[in-house]
Amino acid sequence: MTEPDLFALEAVVVGQPKRSMWRRYTGPLLAVSTVEGTPLAQVKDINHQHFFLTRTSGEFILRIEKRSWYEPLQQFGPVRFHFADRADREVGTAAARGLVKSRQLTLRTEGGRRLLLTRRGQLSAEWHLTEPDPAGGPAPEILGRVTVSSIDSWTGLQQYDVEMTHHLDASERQTVIASVVCLHLVRRPPGEGSTVV
């Protein structure tokens, strides 16, 4: 049976893999699967600055590089993520600003399309994917949704259900899925325990 094309799907699940509380976890940071649970890809944390998205076969898909203006005080300044393909060519970006960086991510796709991933409210577990309107806010048409839930209240593991419309092409879906990884990183920085913003 052939593996589904990750960027052809309109819905995927990005989540933290289950782990034992009693042993040191050494697996991937995040796993990407179909809604039915078929594994598609995984995200490996290389050094808290570089993250690799690979297929379950191990084939490299994307490198996500995290950049912030001053690393020791990164929670106070903007953070930017750059996505690069296997030829080290930039294929998209995501950026977050403010003290609560998970309120909104500004995305730029490989084709130059600008998108916003915006939280509906301060305590909301849902983000809407839209294009910015000329006034600077999100446009009314929703191109996708990201809904977060806890899959293990004891260890605080998170799962992101990602839904995208047919108005996005494969390269734009690639940027959206990479931005969900970034959303997880600004909500739950590596090594920060169960911190959630």
Side-chain angles (χ1 to χ4, degrees):
M1 188 168 112
T2 61
E3 190 177 272
D5 180 4
L6 173 58
F7 305 123
L9 299 173
E10 291 186 4
V12 296
V13 176
V14 179
Q16 292 179 280
K18 297 241 178 175
R19 59 202 69 184
S20 168
M21 272 190 54
W22 315 113
R23 284 184 294 225
R24 186 170 184 276
Y25 178 71
T26 57
L29 175 71
L30 296 167
V32 184
S33 64
T34 64
V35 173
E36 296 77 25
T38 304
L40 298 170
Q42 56 188 14
V43 178
K44 295 179 182 175
D45 179 356
I46 304 306
N47 57 10
H48 300 335
Q49 295 295 116
H50 296 87
F51 305 86
F52 288 171
L53 175 65
T54 61
R55 298 192 194 280
T56 51
S57 64
E59 178 190 354
F60 175 85
I61 302 173
L62 205 63
R63 177 174 50 85
I64 301 170
E65 181 183 347
K66 178 181 166 194
R67 300 177 189 170
S68 53
W69 67 284
Y70 181 56
E71 203 58 38
L73 299 174
Q74 64 178 313
Q75 69 267 28
F76 300 111
V79 62
R80 193 169 179 85
F81 298 90
H82 293 258
F83 314 142
D85 63 13
R86 68 181 68 178
D88 209 28
R89 184 175 54 94
E90 187 170 280
V91 292
T93 62
R97 300 181 346 178
L99 288 176
V100 183
K101 293 181 179 56
S102 63
R103 274 193 195 141
Q104 185 176 81
L105 293 181
T106 304
L107 317 179
R108 186 183 50 76
T109 68
E110 182 178 7
R113 187 176 187 183
R114 289 190 62 235
L115 299 168
L116 298 175
L117 189 59
T118 308
R119 188 191 277 188
R120 293 189 59 201
Q122 182 63 26
L123 300 176
S124 177
E126 184 174 280
W127 285 259
H128 285 175
L129 180 71
T130 59
E131 287 187 278
D133 69 13
E141 183 184 6
I142 296 172
L143 300 170
R145 285 183 176 79
V146 176
T147 307
V148 66
S149 59
S150 178
I151 55 172
D152 186 331
S153 57
W154 184 254
T155 55
L157 300 179
Q158 303 284 289
Q159 174 175 293
Y160 301 82
D161 295 306
V162 185
E163 302 168 52
M164 298 167 279
T165 69
H166 64 278
H167 298 293
L168 300 174
D169 65 25
S171 70
E172 292 165 346
R173 289 180 185 172
Q174 174 179 271
T175 299
V176 172
I177 292 170
S179 74
V180 173
V181 174
C182 302
L183 178 63
H184 179 76
L185 294 172
V186 297
R187 292 185 71 239
R188 301 174 67 87
E192 295 291 319
S194 59
T195 302
V196 176
V197 291

